Amino acid sequence: MSGPKPLVVVGDVLLDEDIEGVATRLAPDAPAPVVDVTVDRRHPGGAGLAAALAARGGREVILVTALGDDPASEAVRRELTGRVRLVELPLNGTLPVKTRVLAAGRPLVRIDRGGGTPGEPDAAVRDALAQAHAVLVADYGRHTASAVRDHLAAVTPRTPLVWDPHPKGDTPVPGARLVTPNAAETRALCPGGGESLRAYAERGTELADRWRVSGVAVTLGERGVLLTRPGSGTPMLVPPPFRAGGDPCGAGDCFAATTAAALADGALPEEALQRAVAEAAAFVSAGGATNPGLWRVTPAPGAEEAPATDAFELAERVRARGGTVVATGGCFDLLHAGHVGLLDSARAIGDCLIVCLNSDASLARRKGPGRPLNQEADRVRVLRALASVDAVAVFEEDTPQELLNRLRPDVWVKGGDYSVQDLPEARALRAWGGQAVVLPYLDGRSTTLLTRRAAAAAGTAT
């Protein structure tokens, strides 16, 4: 079975910067919040984000864009190296930089700076488009699509093309398979008529006729996507599979990239849109473009594993955006269904789950001779592999008390027959306003019982 088909992304790359922090006071000289910065992230935006999203899963992606010699262009090159192949147009000027300042996860202000004009494309652009199984135009109004328009028009009759438009950008080339404006862009292009589904269906049909394209898919946020075609006819509504809560920044890029990738693999437009709606909803729920995991490099087979998430940095990030930090602890010497159920339930309480794990020496003091059954490094690796676990922190003491004082979670979870009053950690949690809770535990599951069964089975076998 062949792998994912090559995809070419054409469009305007930006450098997105998110400065996150906590705002608890106003400046003395103006009624403006003072943000104490905790995290400063920079990553490719616009067509750069769309290309990186399309490349997830190992797809070959070529990004045709304009880059210069400025620091922002260099930062984009560094971040995209190893993810996509760049085919560059010269940039007369500097790459645009869009900076968001956020407090407790909410944007306070956005600052835009920089900008330039793309130069003329060369033969490398024509060659890149010739090998594409689908093309995505990520138009952010910076005229890369205009510079490459003749090449795009030449491949459209034989190659599926998705055009993600911008109010300040170029009009899609005739014959495009799908154009994906959002609700606001659609209203700007076709004013009046309200915001009912019927109004958007009429706008989508009008745009499909005006642009002479095969279909217009209007993205409507929580309502899903409305697919219309030229002329009259009943539109198709593709609702999201679940209600997505999170940062919507980059959702449009995720939607367009997934749509184009599905068309590259031979999907029908309707199938491509269903896949894209589900992927965009999952993208938003995972934190959107601000999700640190999006830009984490996955090691190649045989390569050294990437550094694991630091528990203290994770807790600080989650707190900075107003989220809930959940922690639990234990030996987890032989992972079983009771552990998995507890961890799944604990993760559902908040926005991250940190496991406080007994070291080998700590476990041996608690459990006695013959323990641990699995060494510390193996226990850490197994826990980190669980979708419910965001980070693991190892402690050497008999109890996680000292670790908790540093971590300061909002919720501490234990499973089993404890009462909250019996938990020694409960008093520590109260010191910083946290809460200790007990969750139900699956009966009949424990490491001790499993080891006894294994020993009995071994004795029977001999």
Side-chain angles (χ1 to χ4, degrees):
M1 184 175 179
S2 60
K5 302 299 192 298
L7 173 67
V8 174
V9 178
V10 177
D12 310 304
V13 172
L14 318 168
L15 182 62
D16 285 344
E17 182 178 37
D18 285 325
I19 300 174
E20 298 186 30
V22 180
T24 59
R25 65 192 191 281
L26 297 177
D29 56 342
V34 176
V35 178
D36 294 316
V37 177
T38 57
V39 178
D40 189 345
R41 297 191 189 91
R42 307 178 90 197
H43 58 78
L49 174 61
L53 291 170
R56 292 187 299 178
R59 182 181 303 275
E60 179 188 356
V61 175
I62 300 172
L63 173 59
V64 178
T65 192
L67 293 172
D69 298 325
D70 55 294
S73 294
E74 291 298 333
V76 164
R77 288 190 185 95
R78 285 195 303 272
E79 195 63 53
L80 291 178
T81 297
R83 301 177 186 272
V84 304
R85 180 157 69 89
L86 285 170
V87 174
E88 296 185 21
L89 280 67
L91 178 65
N92 303 314
T94 61
L95 199 72
V97 180
K98 303 170 79 171
T99 302
R100 294 193 309 168
V101 180
L102 304 95
R106 297 180 180 276
L108 294 180
V109 66
R110 197 183 91 182
I111 303 165
D112 291 1
R113 61 187 184 275
T117 304
E120 291 296 318
D122 57 17
V125 173
R126 182 187 65 245
D127 295 342
L129 289 169
Q131 61 184 287
H133 280 246
V135 176
L136 167 63
V137 177
D139 190 353
Y140 273 77
R142 302 285 177 166
H143 310 302
T144 300
S146 300
V148 186
R149 187 176 183 84
D150 290 344
H151 295 292
L152 294 170
V155 302
T156 300
R158 64 178 186 274
T159 305
L161 184 144
V162 176
W163 194 294
D164 192 11
H166 190 277
K168 296 181 180 179
D170 204 357
T171 56
V173 293
R177 186 72 55 89
L178 286 171
V179 184
T180 60
N182 62 30
E185 292 163 347
T186 307
R187 292 195 304 271
L189 292 162
C190 298
E195 297 190 37
S196 65
L197 287 179
R198 177 171 180 169
Y200 283 114
E202 292 173 349
R203 292 186 183 106
T205 300
E206 180 182 337
L207 291 173
D209 287 326
R210 183 193 305 176
W211 290 330
R212 291 180 292 152
V213 298
S214 299
V216 171
V218 183
T219 57
L220 301 173
E222 294 179 352
R223 287 195 281 181
V225 173
L226 192 66
L227 173 62
T228 61
R229 300 187 183 278
S232 59
T234 302
M236 185 181 79
L237 180 66
V238 183
F242 57 88
R243 187 181 181 89
D247 189 346
C249 182
D253 296 301
C254 180
F255 173 80
T258 306
T259 300
L263 293 178
D265 294 338
L268 296 172
E270 294 83 356
E271 296 171 326
L273 292 178
Q274 287 179 310
R275 190 185 306 178
V277 169
E279 188 68 23
F283 175 79
V284 171
S285 294
T290 61
N291 176 13
L294 178 64
W295 299 102
R296 188 176 299 133
V297 177
T298 301
E304 185 178 344
E305 291 188 16
T309 301
D310 182 87
F312 300 100
E313 291 180 2
L314 173 65
E316 190 62 37
R317 288 199 305 268
V318 172
R319 272 194 292 268
R321 63 173 185 258
T324 299
V325 178
V326 182
T328 189
C331 301
F332 298 98
D333 195 9
L334 189 60
L335 199 68
H336 53 72
H339 292 141
V340 173
L342 173 68
L343 295 170
D344 285 344
S345 298
R347 181 59 178 83
I349 294 173
D351 299 286
C352 74
L353 174 62
I354 299 170
V355 175
C356 301
L357 184 69
N358 294 79
S359 70
D360 286 347
S362 174
L363 193 158
R365 289 194 300 270
R366 286 197 59 191
K367 300 296 184 179
R371 304 287 294 273
L373 301 173
N374 286 304
Q375 300 302 305
E376 179 183 306
D378 292 342
R379 291 184 287 128
V380 169
R381 185 171 183 177
V382 170
L383 285 167
R384 283 177 178 156
L386 298 178
S388 57
V389 176
D390 297 287
V392 178
V394 178
F395 61 94
E396 297 287 345
E397 299 77 21
D398 291 340
T399 73
Q401 192 84 25
E402 184 177 335
L403 177 58
L404 289 176
N405 289 336
R406 295 174 56 205
L407 201 59
R408 299 172 69 88
D410 301 294
V411 181
W412 172 254
V413 171
K414 290 293 286 185
D417 299 327
Y418 298 96
S419 69
V420 172
Q421 291 79 11
D422 295 334
L423 291 179
E425 301 87 0
R427 180 178 297 178
L429 267 289
R430 288 194 292 270
W432 55 81
Q435 177 63 55
V437 298
V438 174
L439 294 182
Y441 201 70
L442 290 176
D443 290 335
R445 278 84 168 181
S446 76
T447 301
T448 301
L449 287 175
L450 288 175
T451 54
R452 287 174 180 170
R453 288 176 193 164
T460 303
T462 57

